[in-house]
Amino acid sequence: MVDDINEVLRKAPLFEALDEEDTAALRSSVNEVRLGRGQTLFNEGDEGDRLYVILSGKVKLTRTAVDGRENLLGVLGPGEMFGELSLFDPRPRTASAVAVTDSVLAGLGHDDLRPFLSIRSQVSLQLLKALAERLRRTNDVMADLVFTDVPGRVAKALLELAEKFGKEGDDGLHVHHDLTQEELAQLVGASRETVNKALAEFALRGWLRIEAKAVVLLDVERMRRRAR
Ligand code: CMP
């Protein structure tokens, strides 16, 4: 655990700006959270007083409509952070966080982090950068919902997952996303049937191979062009 935390404090952009003394001070307020696959960390609407950095595993952020339908905002992996919105704007959680695979997280109390925001402008800048990136991506997702067809959105989602979780293999880029077809559809904002049809079409063209909770991208360039 201590190794994990040291590793993450060293690597996570949020903590890059801290010197050794700050890191040591902050480390004592970090707690480890272990989640089993499918376990919920918090629900949309809960009070939130901690942010989390993923040490290992994958966590999905979801919102549920009144009729029960789910929208998957994103899937985060090692080094990524979430739960910071209620740090800047103390209101209830804007999404639920659920482990997609067994996961280990480092939790950091907002109250412990807040003092660093005023004395270490680099920490504030890193948090603002993360927020800016999230806003950019959200704008892209919104524009795609209006302007891009479902196959284009599927291609884009797979490329984004590939950037985070892809591993180069002899036969292509292996993307072990760990999402069910239903979750993939929630991520793309379309029905499972339409998303399956798009995947089958890509497979037929030889652009990818479908595996259980994974895809192997065989022609990344074609996928990129389809995602435009
Ligand atoms: P918070 O509202 O504290 O808890 C839910 C978290 O989900 C939120 O902080 C953000 O860290 C994260 N989150 C909310 N919206 C998005 C989004 N559109 N993309 C990625 N992460 C998000």
Side-chain angles (χ1 to χ4, degrees):
M1 169 59 191
V2 172
D3 283 353
D4 280 348
I5 292 246
N6 284 344
E7 186 79 347
V8 99
L9 287 180
R10 236 171 358 99
K11 277 199 197 147
L14 176 60
F15 302 116
E16 256 171 25
L18 298 173
D19 63 22
E20 263 181 41
E21 203 182 313
D22 295 338
T23 310
L26 211 50
R27 196 180 303 146
S28 58
S29 59
V30 172
N31 74 320
E32 185 196 61
V33 181
R34 283 178 183 270
L35 299 173
R37 183 162 66 93
Q39 202 177 335
T40 299
L41 176 65
F42 56 71
N43 280 306
E44 184 182 347
D46 286 355
E47 288 304 315
D49 63 354
R50 301 185 86 68
L51 73 74
Y52 297 90
V53 177
I54 302 176
L55 301 179
S56 65
K58 297 186 184 81
V59 171
K60 65 174 180 178
L61 297 163
T62 69
R63 296 185 69 141
T64 311
V66 273
D67 63 4
R69 281 178 305 158
E70 298 239 351
N71 173 218
L72 223 157
L73 297 175
V75 186
L76 307 185
E80 291 190 282
M81 168 199 73
F82 64 95
E84 78 296 338
L85 289 190
S86 38
L87 166 72
F88 295 114
D89 180 23
R91 283 196 281 169
R93 296 289 192 193
T94 54
S96 304
V98 181
V100 176
T101 61
D102 291 349
S103 303
V104 184
L105 318 175
L108 191 55
H110 291 163
D111 288 344
D112 294 320
L113 188 58
R114 234 175 244 117
F116 287 90
L117 300 183
S118 44
I119 57 168
R120 292 280 176 267
S121 59
Q122 284 303 322
V123 175
S124 306
L125 284 173
Q126 289 293 354
L127 276 164
L128 283 172
K129 185 162 175 269
L131 284 178
E133 274 169 13
R134 210 158 270 175
L135 181 60
R136 270 177 208 269
R137 182 181 169 272
T138 303
N139 283 347
D140 281 348
V141 168
M142 267 174 51
D144 287 342
L145 279 173
V146 178
F147 300 127
T148 309
D149 61 2
V150 174
R153 297 195 324 248
V154 172
K156 203 163 195 174
L158 291 177
L159 289 168
E160 193 186 351
L161 290 166
E163 241 170 65
K164 285 190 191 186
F165 306 118
K167 290 212 169 68
E168 209 64 64
D170 288 344
D171 53 346
L173 186 55
H174 289 240
V175 187
H176 213 101
H177 52 66
D178 284 293
L179 300 176
T180 62
Q181 290 183 341
E182 186 63 46
E183 287 171 325
L184 207 51
Q186 290 165 2
L187 183 63
V188 169
S191 72
R192 194 158 71 96
E193 292 72 23
T194 327
V195 171
N196 282 352
K197 212 171 127 203
L199 283 172
E201 178 68 26
F202 292 158
L204 197 69
R205 287 169 184 245
W207 297 356
L208 56 76
R209 195 170 71 234
I210 302 167
E211 297 190 345
K213 294 192 174 184
V215 290
V216 181
L217 301 185
L218 306 169
D219 194 335
V220 174
E221 196 37 52
R222 292 284 176 103
M223 291 289 287
R224 277 209 188 107
R225 262 186 264 158
R226 189 60 185 86
R228 255 177 229 148

